[in-house]
């Protein structure tokens, strides 16, 4: 069946305009369609599980703003909270009750968190967390894992995932040797490599930072042995274990991966869902560590719009909804159905694939599997992924625009949406 052609005229006009105004026409490289070719779509609105582009086309949305939209677009409690907050003023640069409320909701939900500092992006959260870990331990070395993406922090833009991997710049120009010399990059799920690093440098290692469920090289799942070794070795050598739960926090469980897997880190970074789609992120952890943050301690951290009243109102509404009407059982039903359907579609088409999933985040790899680290993820057939992506776009299904990302199911998706997605994927893959 030839793929139906949707009209993209207005998108093309607006995106040509954007390319004259902003580098690559985007304000984040991840949305540039670099890995799949062609130009990004330009969107006008979102409602529930759907996005609507400027040509009036409707898409079932599996990006959800790269994770925040766990309840779908225009989630009513968030919308009402934001409207009410706007009528009280947009920013004060001073303490507010809302910050206390949001902090209490975060601390109640996330096992490792006794104190928090609110910031504006996941990047700011991870940048601050590693500075605190270095200040707290007095050590320099940070261990990260290839294919993990922690935002565009200079010292962590080494062997990074997400758009860095997608666009082939895992070690970005502009990051100096001096900045990255204290960053040690190891292979995800490689216990032997981690043990060797601690044997040789243990007393110089300030922190280990990882995605406890990877989304930025596609969905890659840690082995129990690997997670346990990150906890045991950091404990043994007095290093800080940082779980970067910007993506998986409140996604794979209300208490994040640390609740799901029963491993408690020393610090946690969060973003995306916690801000309900507004610019809000968090770093937090043990009181003993967090009390090193200025002005309680001496590790500098500040931000004009940190704890912003509009963003905190959205975050409070989101976290109260996740607490009072947890969507996780429904998300599991939808996600299992989608995973089974996509797997069956690829099986019947005879396409080499593996589907890896934790809760409502998953990736269909065009790779026989398993995908356990960046080296294996990088061997995926990205040309096939691109054909799959565009085939679905032309059938009104909007998947993440890279093999090295995770898709997200929301509580606004219906069984019908899932079944329609499976039918479209079956059609696309059958014509590979
Ligand atoms: P932000 O600075 O984009 O808010 O967060 C950075 C970040 C930190 N840690 C993890 C685990 C993350 O997934 C991210 C951001 N994720 C990407 C999607 N893979 C955001 C999309 C984008 O960059 O536009």
């Amino acid at each position: 069946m030839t793929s139906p052609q949707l009209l993209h005229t207005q998108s093309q006009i607006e995106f040509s305009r954007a390319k004259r105004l902003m580098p690559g026409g985007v304000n984040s490289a991840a949305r540039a369609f670099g890995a799949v070719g062609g130009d990004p779509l330009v969107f006008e609105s979102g409602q529930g599980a759907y996005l609507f582009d400027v040509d009036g086309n409707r898409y079932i949305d599996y990006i959800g703003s790269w994770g925040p939209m766990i309840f779908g677009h225009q989630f009513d409690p968030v919308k009402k909270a934001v409207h009410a907050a706007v009528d009280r003023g947009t920013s004060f640069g001073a303490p507010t009750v809302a910050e206390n409320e949001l902090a209490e909701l975060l601390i109640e939900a996330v096992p490792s968190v006794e104190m928090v500092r609110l910031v504006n992006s996941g990047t700011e959260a991870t940048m601050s967390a590693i500075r605190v870990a270095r200040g707290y331990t007095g050590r320099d070395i940070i261990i990260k894992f290839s294919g993990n993406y922690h935002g565009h922090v200079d010292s962590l833009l080494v062997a990074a995932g997400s758009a860095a991997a997608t666009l082939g710049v895992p070690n970005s120009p502009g990051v100096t040797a001096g900045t990255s010399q204290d960053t040690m990059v190891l292979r995800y799920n490689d216990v032997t490599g981690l043990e060797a690093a601690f044997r040789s440098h243990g007393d110089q290692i300030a922190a280990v930072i990882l995605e406890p469920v990877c989304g930025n090289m596609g969905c890659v799942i840690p082995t129990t042995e690997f997670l346990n070794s990150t906890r045991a070795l950091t404990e043994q050598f007095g290093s800080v274990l940082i779980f970067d739960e910007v993506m998986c926090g409140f996604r794979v469980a209300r208490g994040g991966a640390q609740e799901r897997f029963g491993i408690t880190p020393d610090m946690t970074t969060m973003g995306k869902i916690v801000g309900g789609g507004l610019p809000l992120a968090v770093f937090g952890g043990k009181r003993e560590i967090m009390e090193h943050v200025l002005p309680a301690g001496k590790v500098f951290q500040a931000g004009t719009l940190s704890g912003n009243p509009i963003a905190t109102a959205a975050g409070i509404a989101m976290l109260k909804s996740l607490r009072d009407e947890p969507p996780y059982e429904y998300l599991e039903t939808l996600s299992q159905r989608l995973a089974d359907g996509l797997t069956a579609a690829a099986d019947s088409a005879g396409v080499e694939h593996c589907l890896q999933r934790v809760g409502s985040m998953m990736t269909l790899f065009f790779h026989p599997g398993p995908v356990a680290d960046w080296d294996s993820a990088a061997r995926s057939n990205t040309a096939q992924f691109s054909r799959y992506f565009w085939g679905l776009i032309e059938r009104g299904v909007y998947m993440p625009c890279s093999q090295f990302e995770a898709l997200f199911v929301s509580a606004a998706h219906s069984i019908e949406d899932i079944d329609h997605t499976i039918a479209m994927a079956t059609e696309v893959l059958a014509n590979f």
Side-chain angles (χ1 to χ4, degrees), residues 79-412:
K79 211 172 151 179
K80 285 194 170 80
V82 167
H83 281 305
V86 165
D87 289 341
R88 296 193 295 270
T90 53
S91 180
F92 313 133
T96 61
V97 171
E99 290 161 272
N100 295 345
E101 268 197 75
L102 181 57
E104 285 171 345
L105 287 163
L106 289 160
I107 290 164
E108 182 271 323
V110 184
S112 63
V113 172
E114 296 173 338
M115 283 191 109
V116 294
R117 171 64 57 92
L118 305 181
V119 293
N120 301 282
S121 72
T123 295
E124 208 183 336
T126 57
M127 173 181 70
S128 308
I130 61 174
R131 182 183 313 130
V132 172
R134 284 172 160 153
Y136 170 69
T137 59
R139 302 176 182 178
D140 297 343
I141 294 176
I142 298 286
I143 288 179
K144 78 169 292 277
F145 299 92
S146 54
N148 276 197
Y149 176 69
H150 304 290
H152 58 96
V153 188
D154 274 10
S155 59
L156 297 178
L157 264 184
V158 183
S162 186
T166 297
L167 301 170
V169 283
N171 306 312
S172 170
V175 175
T176 63
T179 313
S180 48
Q181 68 184 14
D182 293 321
T183 307
M184 190 184 286
V185 182
L186 302 180
R187 191 161 58 83
Y188 198 84
N189 276 325
D190 176 11
V191 175
T192 308
L194 187 61
E195 288 169 343
F198 271 93
R199 262 198 312 278
S200 56
H201 295 83
D203 59 355
Q204 302 157 57
I205 297 171
V208 172
I209 185 169
L210 71 150
E211 294 181 56
V213 176
C214 302
N216 290 296
M217 51 176 144
C219 186
V220 170
I221 303 162
T223 64
T224 304
E225 190 195 5
F226 174 66
L227 272 189
N228 289 338
S229 68
T230 64
R231 180 64 285 178
L233 288 163
T234 48
E235 201 88 57
Q236 181 185 344
F237 286 88
S239 308
V240 175
L241 177 59
I242 304 171
F243 273 11
D244 179 357
E245 300 220 36
V246 165
M247 183 183 286
C248 57
F250 292 95
R251 168 64 61 179
V252 299
R254 191 163 79 91
Q258 57 197 269
E259 176 190 287
R260 191 175 182 112
F261 297 137
I263 301 253
T264 303
D266 302 305
M267 295 183 78
T268 302
T269 53
M270 291 169 276
K272 297 181 191 277
I273 289 173
V274 299
L278 277 289
L280 187 147
V282 186
F283 68 97
K286 288 177 179 163
R287 180 178 297 276
E288 171 204 346
I289 298 174
M290 290 301 290
E291 285 185 337
H292 281 69
V293 181
L294 201 73
K298 297 189 175 351
V299 179
F300 189 83
Q301 201 284 333
T304 304
L305 298 177
S306 296
N308 171 275
I310 315 303
T312 47
I316 290 165
M318 183 64 102
L319 296 198
K320 280 184 176 174
S321 298
L322 288 168
R323 179 194 64 193
D324 301 341
E325 297 171 77
Y328 299 103
E329 281 181 28
Y330 179 59
L331 286 172
E332 183 56 28
T333 302
L334 291 182
S335 303
Q336 185 64 62
R337 191 179 183 102
L338 179 62
D340 292 346
L342 293 178
T343 300
D347 278 340
S348 55
V351 173
E352 269 198 338
H353 69 284
C354 69
L355 192 135
Q356 300 186 172
R357 174 176 81 89
V358 179
S360 57
M361 60 188 276
M362 68 184 89
T363 298
L364 177 67
F365 286 99
F366 289 85
H367 181 295
V371 176
D373 52 33
W374 170 243
D375 294 344
S376 46
R379 288 196 293 274
S380 302
N381 187 325
T382 51
Q384 285 187 330
F385 177 84
S386 174
R387 291 211 302 280
Y388 164 76
F389 173 79
W390 278 110
L392 285 174
I393 284 279
E394 291 310 321
R395 290 167 173 78
V397 178
Y398 191 54
M399 289 290 181
C401 48
S402 165
Q403 173 70 97
F404 310 122
E405 296 286 0
L407 74 81
F408 302 101
V409 180
S410 86

